[in-house]
């Protein structure tokens, strides 16, 4: 059952571009959609916290959580879904998946980790994949901004994880997720003039993004981690960009060139070589998709 829960989580995260593109086609802007998404997710997560009644963090931990949501997650989501509005979602998702290599490079630069053969091979593999994604087959006309936004999302994601690595292991992950989503909703509200979707169709797609690709995807990931452990769950989570590629191909007719497909394989191979260092799992626990990770600590895995 653990494998099934992890795959459901990956599918939830991977379907987010489908919901986003549906919202765009119904006339909803990126900021309207993301404000609605974070509001919906925050309401559900605070309801969970009201039932669990975890202790509210204070001081530096609280400020860090607010900053992660209001700055890190908000910027990452704005860049990623801005990219999805401009280029094929499959390409945007694969460009985002360069973040494990960026996290590793940052950790080495900050002397938190040492550079060994495995990490060097993974970084090289990710670099080759990036060259293939961008150099072969090209990018559609007018897609340069989308590519830059997708790469910006990967950089923002990496910085987010580096900062989140300093959070205590005993802070309730549902509470952290609620704080992060609330702060992100406020930032998106300011960015978009506190405008929300104005049509029923817009709310439908935004609701699917908030409930399926945020709350449900996070919850099923929590269950999968508890049943299988973080390392296995991290590997299974790599199904996310595959789901994005397959679903956008079926629904919107998107496709990658053979060279870009080879680049995507190289990027995902780099992720597997790194074995994500458990980063991907905890970041998903903190922010819920397309955006963020830091190592999973045992205290989080056994939270009630």
């Amino acid at each position: 059952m653990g494998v099934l829960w992890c795959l459901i989580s990956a599918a939830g995260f991977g379907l987010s571009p489908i919901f986003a593109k549906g919202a765009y086609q119904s006339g909803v802007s990126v900021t309207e959609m993301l404000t609605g998404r974070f509001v919906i997710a925050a309401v559900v997560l605070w309801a969970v916290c009201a039932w669990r009644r975890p202790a509210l963090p204070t001081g530096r931990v609280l400020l860090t959580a607010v900053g992660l949501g209001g700055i890190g997650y908000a910027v990452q989501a704005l860049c990623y879904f801005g990219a999805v509005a401009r280029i094929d979602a499959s390409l945007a998702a694969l460009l985002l998946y360069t973040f494990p290599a960026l996290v590793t490079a940052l950790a080495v630069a900050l002397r938190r980790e040492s550079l060994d053969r495995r990490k060097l091979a993974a970084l090289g593999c990710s670099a080759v994949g990036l060259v293939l994604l961008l150099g072969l087959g090209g990018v559609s006309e007018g897609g340069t901004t989308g590519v830059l936004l997708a790469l910006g999302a990967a950089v923002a994601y990496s910085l987010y994880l580096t900062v989140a690595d300093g959070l205590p292991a005993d802070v309730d992950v549902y509470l952290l997720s609620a704080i992060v989503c609330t702060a992100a909703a406020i930032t998106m509200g300011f960015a978009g003039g506190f405008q929300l979707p104005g049509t029923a169709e817009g709310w439908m797609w935004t609701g699917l993004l908030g409930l399926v690709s945020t709350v449900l995807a996070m919850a099923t990931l929590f269950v999968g981690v508890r049943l299988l452990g973080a390392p296995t769950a991290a590997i299974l989570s790599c199904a996310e960009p595959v789901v994005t590629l397959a679903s956008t191909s079926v629904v919107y007719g998107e496709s990658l060139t053979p060279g870009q497909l080879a680049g995507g394989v190289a990027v995902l191979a780099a992720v597997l070589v790194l074995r994500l260092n458990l980063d991907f799992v905890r970041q998903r626990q903190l922010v819920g998709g397309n955006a963020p990770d830091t190592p999973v600590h045992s205290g989080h895995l056994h939270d009630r």
Side-chain angles (χ1 to χ4, degrees):
M1 285 299 293
V3 172
L4 177 62
W5 290 122
C6 288
L7 292 178
I8 290 174
S9 173
F13 289 131
L15 288 172
S16 62
I18 293 290
F19 304 144
K21 285 181 176 288
Y24 300 153
Q25 290 179 355
S26 67
V28 178
S29 70
V30 176
T31 53
E32 289 172 346
M33 180 190 70
L34 290 177
T35 300
R37 174 203 187 186
F38 290 133
V39 167
I40 291 170
V43 168
V44 175
L45 289 167
W46 281 116
V48 172
C49 291
W51 174 64
R52 291 165 59 86
R53 296 184 179 180
L56 186 70
T58 59
R60 184 187 65 83
V61 175
L62 179 59
L63 289 175
T64 299
V66 171
L68 284 172
I71 300 174
Y73 195 19
V75 170
Q76 190 276 338
L78 192 60
C79 286
Y80 178 71
F81 286 101
V84 168
R86 292 169 172 83
I87 59 176
D88 285 356
S90 50
L91 177 59
L94 289 170
L95 290 174
L96 176 66
Y97 256 71
T98 60
F99 78 84
L102 293 175
V103 170
T104 299
L106 275 173
V108 171
L110 294 173
R111 297 184 179 179
R112 293 182 179 180
E113 297 181 15
S114 58
L115 188 63
D116 55 28
R117 290 182 179 179
R118 177 177 61 85
K119 293 172 185 173
L120 188 60
L123 291 174
C125 193
S126 185
V128 170
L130 185 59
V131 170
L132 289 173
L133 282 171
L134 299 181
L136 293 180
V139 178
S140 60
E141 185 179 354
T144 302
T145 300
V147 167
L148 292 176
L149 284 172
L151 293 174
V155 172
Y157 203 171
S158 304
L159 293 173
Y160 175 101
L161 301 183
T162 302
V163 174
D165 191 39
L167 288 173
D170 58 351
V171 180
D172 186 88
V173 291
Y174 291 94
L175 181 57
L176 278 175
S177 298
I179 294 172
V180 165
C181 285
T182 300
I186 293 172
T187 296
M188 285 300 166
F190 276 109
F194 291 96
Q195 297 294 314
L196 292 169
T199 65
E201 184 181 359
W203 271 113
M204 179 191 72
W205 291 114
T206 301
L208 287 171
L209 183 64
L211 295 175
V212 176
S213 296
T214 307
V215 177
L216 176 64
M218 290 169 62
T220 50
L221 179 61
F222 295 155
V223 176
V225 168
R226 290 191 178 101
L227 292 176
L228 298 178
T232 302
I235 292 173
L236 290 171
S237 294
C238 290
E240 176 191 339
V242 178
V243 171
T244 298
L245 194 157
S247 61
T248 54
S249 174
V250 171
V251 177
Y252 295 114
E254 294 184 0
S255 62
L256 297 175
T257 67
Q260 288 174 325
L261 283 173
V265 170
V267 167
L268 293 181
V271 173
L272 293 176
V273 168
L274 289 169
R275 293 183 299 179
L276 294 99
N277 294 321
L278 308 187
D279 287 350
F280 184 82
V281 169
R282 185 165 184 257
Q283 193 277 324
R284 291 302 193 190
Q285 290 178 317
L286 288 176
V287 295
N290 305 115
D293 297 11
T294 54
V296 177
H297 300 285
S298 58
H300 287 142
L301 299 181
H302 300 289
D303 264 329
R304 289 189 169 189

